[in-house]
Amino acid sequence: MQLPPARVRIVDAAHELMHTIGLARATTKEIAKAAGCSEAALYKHFASKEDLFVKVLNERLPQLGPLVSRLAAEPGEGSVEENLTEIARQAALFYAESFPIAASLYADPQLKRRHDDALRELGSGPHVPIEGVDAYLRAEQRAGRIASGADTYAAASLLLGACALRAFAYDMTETGRPPQPLPEFALATARAVLRGIA
């Protein structure tokens, strides 16, 4: 049986290690070892651990970015409620997957600073989804499907903030799960946000 290409193995290994031991503790050496290649091979495909982290987010986690970009480019498709519901669903899944990966950064302020600097250079970061949803809502506003005076940035922040909070707010409860199933949560959150901007 033939192994997958090195790049695929590296991204798979990085995703697994970042998820199980956290981004701060997942070194490029450990990732390369888990992928069955050399650290030099890892750097042949990725400029840095941060670059690899961004690729893991883009390739292995639920795809929020492409969804939001498509909706912003094609306002008027589907209902705004349906679109916001799908954004909320994808965002909740994305944050549930990405928070365990990135949480360890907050234990080391110096590492977090380096990581933040690298993400800025790559044009990435946690602000990007908010700006994407804001762009979608502004496109719908121009199409006349959202009130002209609505604060689209605040609406985007509220929608994604609720999804981010859902990702970790219930970890300490008995069940470890949110009280609402994801489809109900996504629809209720979309409707709540939409009431403020329709």
Side-chain angles (χ1 to χ4, degrees):
M1 184 171 143
Q2 189 175 6
L3 286 174
R7 186 189 182 284
V8 173
R9 295 194 323 267
I10 292 166
V11 174
D12 287 342
H15 179 223
E16 178 65 23
L17 285 171
M18 289 174 180
H19 200 272
T20 56
I21 66 172
L23 181 60
R25 292 179 48 213
T27 65
T28 53
K29 185 175 183 175
E30 289 172 329
I31 292 167
K33 182 179 176 185
C37 66
S38 68
E39 201 170 1
L42 183 148
Y43 282 111
K44 183 176 145 187
H45 295 282
F46 304 97
S48 65
K49 186 167 83 167
E50 289 75 22
D51 179 38
L52 180 53
F53 173 62
V54 170
K55 296 299 188 293
V56 167
L57 293 182
N58 289 337
E59 297 176 20
R60 297 296 186 270
L61 271 57
Q63 295 297 296
L64 179 59
L67 168 66
V68 172
S69 296
R70 181 180 57 76
L71 291 173
E74 301 170 2
E77 297 293 317
S79 73
V80 177
E81 180 181 291
E82 289 167 343
N83 294 338
L84 289 178
T85 299
E86 183 57 16
I87 289 170
R89 191 181 74 75
Q90 289 290 337
L93 291 170
F94 174 82
Y95 290 126
E97 285 283 317
S98 63
F99 276 2
I101 292 173
S104 63
L105 283 173
Y106 288 86
D108 185 339
Q110 188 176 14
L111 178 63
K112 184 172 182 317
R113 253 190 319 279
R114 286 197 315 270
H115 179 76
D116 291 349
D117 290 344
L119 287 186
R120 275 191 286 276
E121 285 179 30
L122 293 166
S124 189
H127 63 288
V128 172
I130 298 170
E131 291 172 356
V133 175
D134 178 41
Y136 161 65
L137 292 173
R138 282 186 283 114
E140 292 289 16
Q141 197 171 45
R142 288 189 297 275
R145 300 204 317 164
I146 288 177
S148 61
D151 186 335
T152 57
Y153 184 81
S157 299
L158 289 167
L159 181 74
L160 294 181
C163 296
L165 186 62
R166 184 180 194 273
F168 69 90
Y170 295 94
D171 277 353
M172 290 184 280
T173 63
E174 275 186 36
T175 65
R177 291 188 312 270
Q180 279 180 309
L182 180 55
E184 290 175 26
F185 164 82
L187 179 59
T189 303
R191 285 179 173 169
V193 169
L194 190 55
R195 274 196 291 274
I197 59 175

